Amino acid sequence: MKFRTEYLPERDRGLTLRPERPLVLVGSCFADNISARMRSCLWDAVNPLGVLFNPLSIADALELCLLDPDPMPAFEGSLFESGGVWHSWMFDTGMSALTREECRAMFRERRRVLREAVERGGCLFVTFGTSWCYFLKDRPGAVAANCHKMPGGLFERRRVSTEEIATRWRGLVDRLRLAFPGLRIVLTVSPVRHVRDGLHGNAVSKAVLLLAVEELCATCGGVSYFPAYEIVNDDLRDYRFYASDLVHPSAEAVEYIWEAFTAAYLDDAGRRYLKEGESLRRRLEHRPLMPGAPGAAEFKEETRRMLAGFLRRYPGAAVPREFMPEDGSECCPADDIACGV
């Protein structure tokens, strides 16, 4: 007898992730979870845009960072000050700072990291979280990626339609693939439930996203779908696979999605890299009880040799700088953000 429907995605023969090529994930929580999990295995995976939930804001941020030749005026126009802190309507609080100049500097750096990773990696994972959007009343057509705890009277809350999402993203995909030839885009829908919209509101919101994704996969070249939503809601479909808030997937569910992700996009060589990288990262983080003991010195020296060998085999590995050899060698062509430190 079978008591659940297993929904593991098939191997994507058109896309194999390589450890020498960085991976970019943007959007809502799936992007954060998978990028963090890959970095724990020393794979260069980045989410420079922070957590963005709705597909219009994700599109705005990607267009600004990857396609706009002069993005600073638009970014400057998105900044506002509240309680002594500067925020951007286009990004989450990770882009907030005490001064405008700090915000500008963070934006420039994150844009640089994103552009370099997309150019080198050739792949972009995008996760849609909700189709409910908060439009700024004093800026027609402008969507707030994050409300930054500002008064509700500043916004008009509306669920966007499947056609609005598909139209916006069809044009964006065409321009991205023209600017970055060969770019592959993988769309996902977050399984995290937005219960503030009500259970029915959340269900309708996710349905809109799923229909939009279906439309984009059918009409855009180089676009495919990873079923994170279905894995949680149709395969696991039990509250024991949710965290205590009954909204986010549990650690076990995240690990299950991770296994499905690696099965879909990694070959045997990629999976060997993950296993070796995770083992090495644990050694690097190990803190001996008696640092002065002979065994501790031997362990440290052996770990140093393992790290040197790993870096020779995988020069693009995302090894945090505090673990790098003292000879000044770099962990990867990217910077601290790309290395996950």
Side-chain angles (χ1 to χ4, degrees):
M1 297 177 64
K2 294 184 66 176
F3 292 97
R4 56 180 263 258
T5 302
E6 294 188 9
Y7 190 78
L8 294 178
E10 296 180 358
R11 177 81 169 84
D12 188 333
R13 301 299 175 183
L15 175 60
T16 299
L17 303 178
R18 302 293 183 190
E20 66 273 14
R21 305 180 72 179
L23 179 61
V24 181
L25 303 100
V26 299
S28 64
C29 300
F30 176 85
D32 264 358
N33 288 332
I34 296 298
S35 60
R37 190 67 176 82
M38 296 198 81
R39 287 195 300 274
S40 75
C41 300
L42 307 184
W43 191 301
D44 189 2
V46 296
N47 177 21
L49 299 182
V51 178
L52 303 174
F53 294 104
N54 75 79
L56 300 189
S57 289
I58 299 170
D60 288 345
L62 287 173
E63 186 172 56
L64 185 70
C65 292
L66 296 177
L67 299 174
D68 192 333
D70 184 20
M72 291 310 298
F75 178 72
E76 290 271 5
S78 76
L79 294 175
F80 69 97
E81 184 270 337
S82 176
V85 179
W86 287 87
H87 307 281
S88 168
W89 290 123
M90 299 187 71
F91 296 97
D92 69 0
T93 54
M95 201 75 79
S96 300
L98 295 177
T99 67
R100 291 179 69 102
E101 185 51 47
E102 287 180 89
C103 292
R104 295 189 199 104
M106 283 192 291
F107 172 73
R108 292 191 190 99
E109 181 62 12
R110 293 187 180 211
R111 177 175 179 265
R112 182 189 67 80
V113 170
L114 177 64
R115 289 186 63 85
E116 290 183 1
V118 171
E119 287 173 350
R120 291 175 49 227
C123 184
L124 179 64
F125 279 77
V126 182
T127 303
F128 297 159
T130 180
S131 55
W132 287 99
C133 293
Y134 287 79
F135 291 86
L136 293 166
K137 289 182 177 179
D138 63 345
R139 305 184 186 193
V143 182
N146 192 295
C147 293
H148 299 291
K149 299 183 179 180
M150 297 299 288
L154 298 177
F155 312 101
E156 177 191 349
R157 181 175 179 270
R158 178 172 67 83
R159 190 179 64 237
V160 294
S161 68
T162 296
E163 187 54 35
E164 285 178 274
I165 299 170
T167 299
R168 178 74 173 91
W169 272 84
R170 270 194 297 264
L172 178 62
V173 168
D174 289 344
R175 294 180 63 198
L176 285 173
R177 285 176 55 80
L178 183 64
F180 303 93
L183 179 67
R184 285 290 306 271
I185 299 174
V186 180
L187 300 176
T188 71
V189 173
S190 171
V192 176
R193 301 189 303 164
H194 289 245
V195 293
R196 290 183 180 179
D197 301 328
L199 293 180
H200 178 70
N202 173 72
V204 175
S205 171
K206 299 293 188 182
V208 169
L209 297 177
L210 291 167
L211 288 170
V213 167
E214 182 78 5
E215 175 71 16
L216 292 168
C217 290
T219 59
C220 297
V223 177
S224 57
Y225 176 64
F226 178 75
Y229 179 84
E230 290 81 359
I231 290 171
V232 173
N233 290 278
D234 296 312
D235 183 345
L236 302 181
R237 64 179 300 120
D238 190 295
Y239 277 112
R240 65 193 168 116
F241 295 111
Y242 282 86
S244 59
D245 62 4
L246 302 181
V247 170
H248 292 81
S250 66
E252 292 80 9
V254 171
E255 187 68 18
Y256 189 75
I257 295 172
W258 164 251
E259 292 175 2
F261 177 86
T262 57
Y265 300 112
L266 270 65
D267 57 12
D268 290 341
R271 285 188 282 274
R272 282 196 299 271
Y273 176 99
L274 292 180
K275 184 176 181 179
E276 187 176 351
E278 186 168 34
S279 176
L280 178 57
R281 190 261 309 166
R282 288 174 177 169
R283 286 186 68 101
L284 290 168
E285 292 178 348
H286 175 71
R287 296 293 180 267
L289 292 176
M290 294 289 185
E298 293 173 4
F299 182 90
K300 183 178 181 180
E301 178 59 23
E302 177 63 20
T303 302
R304 188 194 67 79
R305 288 195 295 267
M306 291 174 63
L307 174 60
F310 188 79
L311 290 171
R312 283 195 297 270
R313 292 193 303 277
Y314 308 110
V319 179
R321 292 189 184 279
E322 64 263 30
F323 299 127
M324 288 302 298
E326 296 179 357
D327 59 6
S329 57
E330 294 292 332
C331 60
C332 63
D335 66 345
D336 287 349
I337 294 177
C339 295
V341 296

